[in-house]
Structures are given as structure tokens and as C-alpha cells.
Amino acid sequence: MKDSAKELLNDRRSLKEAVIVAILVPCVYIGMDFIGWGNGMFSWWEALLVAPVHGIVYWLFLSGFRRFVNEDVTPTR
């Protein structure tokens, strides 16, 4: 368990992208609401609270998929 957690934390590219996603989520949501295209589902502070969750989920999925990027998954007969 500790090895897989260390492996995920060593993926710096995914961490950087997750931070970008965590920053862009509230910016896009608040921006869309500002120009009148928002859905009004969350207030601005709720969007700020949910942004780190989006970043963490994005990071976990992206890191998990990148671990298997070099594996051959083509079917053989």
C-alpha cells in the first residue's frame, strides 16, 4: 500500500495538472455565472470548496492510468 502511494506522489506531472484543474474549476464556474451562462446550482463559496475535490479525483484517475501507459493491451489470438 505504501509503495503505490509513493508511486502516485512521484508523478509530478499529474500533480501539476491536478493543481491547474483545482484552480480552473472555480474560475470557470464563477466566470460562467458572471456572464449569465451558469446553472446556479452552487454559490461561489461552494464552488471554491468543491474545487480541491475535483483536483484530487482528477489526480487519482490520471495517475492511475499513467501507471499502465506502457503496457500492451492489444488482444492476442
Side-chain angles (χ1 to χ4, degrees):
M1 182 71 177
K2 289 184 180 182
D3 293 334
S4 62
K6 286 182 183 179
E7 187 177 330
L8 287 176
L9 289 173
N10 286 335
D11 189 6
R12 297 292 183 200
R13 184 174 168 198
S14 294
L15 284 173
K16 288 178 186 176
E17 290 177 8
V19 169
I20 291 170
V21 167
I23 292 170
L24 284 178
V25 165
C27 291
V28 169
Y29 185 83
I30 293 169
M32 294 294 281
D33 198 34
F34 182 70
I35 63 173
W37 291 355
N39 60 2
M41 190 170 171
F42 300 112
S43 64
W44 64 270
W45 60 270
E46 289 172 327
L48 290 177
L49 288 176
V50 171
V53 175
H54 279 285
I56 289 170
V57 169
Y58 178 84
W59 168 66
L60 285 174
F61 277 112
L62 195 63
S63 294
F65 288 128
R66 282 199 178 139
R67 288 171 51 192
F68 304 108
V69 72
N70 293 326
E71 291 189 15
D72 186 22
V73 293
T74 55
T76 58
R77 288 187 175 196

